[in-house]
Amino acid sequence: WVGSSDGTPVMSTWPSDYGQAWTLASSVERTGIGLHSGGQARVRLEPSDRPGYRVGWLDAPDLGLVRLAPEQVCETQLCTALQLDQRRLATVEHLLAALAGTGVTQAEILVTGEEVPILDGSALPWVEALAEAGLQALPEPSGGLALAEPITVSSGASFATALPYEGLRLGAAIEFAEAAIGRQLFSLDLSPGQFVAEIAPARTFGLRSQVDQLRAAGLIQGGCLENALVCDGDQWLNPPLRFAEEPVRHKILDLLGDLALVGLPRAQVFAYRGSHGLHTSLAAALSGLPEATPPACPPFG
């Protein structure tokens, strides 16, 4: 294990691409505050011998494990929340982005509480947890959703589209009236290493003008300047940013986490003024596609 020059955790065995199936080598836990509930939450990540991500409950193990899928999405206001049989689990996107982004194709997610901890507002603490647990290569290829033609979903002026592509390229564009954000565009060909360095550290963000209204509505009860960037017109209340275009990079993080509900496509995916509702609609549209047969690749990158 080593750290990069900017402090980003680097693992010598991060997969080189998304062609192979991987799980955790050991279990790892994190606890923290839920962004919206403000309540304490605990998550234990464990290896799995079955494809996909399955959620269970540390406080109710008799409920069993439920494999995640787009049709479980029950709420998309400022986070992605899932209805998992008798239980609801909110703010899953950063954790799922960390798993999918680092190449983990299967894992068990055991939870206490109604929300995944927000930690520092990015996927970086989850990447650090995965580095602590280590990854284990599995003998089978990961597959990947195959697109025969473009798929687009839209809502008003916003849209998300997926185009056939041999790898995985993600992009996003955002527009805000606030000068500190303005118009931002970012895209990249994604690999586990690129995810860790370029996307995972990007933190969630919000507007100072909306804080009181959101709290009155019962949202962001656990939000603070330690777990979210807050924009106040032409300035940030808690600089410095980790990237000049950190907000749009976080949108790509959210997009990746929402796509992880169905699995990473072999596609070029772009979201304009994206939202969790739009991202999960695209995941649902992708969910009926067959898996591609990926090229053979070595078990370690």
Side-chain angles (χ1 to χ4, degrees):
W1 309 98
V2 295
S4 69
S5 59
D6 64 356
T8 301
V10 175
M11 191 171 74
S12 60
T13 54
W14 287 130
S16 61
D17 57 32
Y18 298 111
Q20 192 75 18
W22 292 77
T23 191
L24 282 72
S26 63
S27 63
V28 65
E29 286 193 16
R30 290 294 184 268
T31 60
I33 297 293
L35 174 62
H36 296 297
S37 67
Q40 280 285 338
R42 174 182 165 210
V43 172
R44 180 192 299 161
L45 303 176
E46 294 191 344
S48 174
D49 58 4
R50 294 180 291 175
Y53 309 124
R54 287 173 166 80
V55 168
W57 308 96
L58 290 167
D59 57 345
D62 55 306
L63 293 179
L65 296 169
V66 179
R67 183 172 179 174
L68 299 189
E71 58 264 27
Q72 296 156 345
V73 174
C74 63
E75 177 63 55
T76 57
Q77 184 180 14
L78 300 184
C79 74
T80 297
L82 309 175
Q83 188 66 44
L84 304 172
D85 295 334
Q86 305 170 46
R87 302 280 290 263
R88 182 179 184 272
L89 183 62
T91 321
V92 298
E93 58 273 13
H94 300 171
L95 170 56
L96 294 184
L99 289 167
T102 57
V104 176
T105 56
Q106 51 204 74
E108 293 181 3
I109 304 167
L110 307 178
V111 183
T112 296
E114 62 186 45
E115 190 174 12
V116 173
I118 189 63
L119 303 178
D120 77 345
S122 77
L124 192 57
W126 294 115
V127 169
E128 292 169 343
L130 293 171
E132 180 182 319
L135 302 190
Q136 177 180 331
L138 300 170
E140 63 269 13
S142 66
L145 301 173
L147 277 71
E149 57 187 24
I151 295 176
T152 300
V153 296
S154 62
S155 176
S158 304
F159 69 86
T161 187
L163 307 173
Y165 193 65
E166 277 307 302
L168 176 60
R169 185 171 183 84
L170 297 182
I174 58 175
E175 290 187 73
F176 283 80
E178 288 74 14
I181 305 174
R183 294 180 177 177
Q184 297 185 10
L185 170 68
F186 192 78
S187 66
L188 77 168
D189 281 294
L190 204 67
S191 68
Q194 285 288 91
F195 169 76
V196 170
E198 303 291 341
I199 300 299
R203 293 162 292 177
T204 192
F205 65 97
L207 306 180
R208 173 64 187 91
S209 60
Q210 296 179 349
V211 168
D212 293 340
Q213 177 186 357
L214 292 173
R215 285 191 167 156
L219 299 169
I220 64 169
Q221 302 302 304
C224 65
L225 295 179
E226 282 70 50
N227 58 33
L229 289 169
V230 180
C231 177
D232 188 11
D234 62 355
Q235 64 181 344
W236 294 94
L237 296 184
N238 50 342
L241 272 63
R242 294 174 176 173
F243 307 98
E245 63 292 269
E246 189 168 352
V248 73
R249 292 187 191 224
H250 187 80
K251 284 292 187 180
I252 292 176
L253 190 159
D254 282 344
L255 172 62
L256 180 66
D258 290 333
L259 291 177
L261 289 170
V262 68
L264 298 186
R266 292 171 60 184
Q268 196 167 184
V269 183
F270 181 81
Y272 172 67
R273 296 174 63 179
S275 64
H276 292 297
L278 199 66
H279 302 161
T280 55
S281 291
L282 181 61
L286 291 167
S287 64
L289 296 177
E291 282 200 352
T293 301
C297 62
F300 290 91

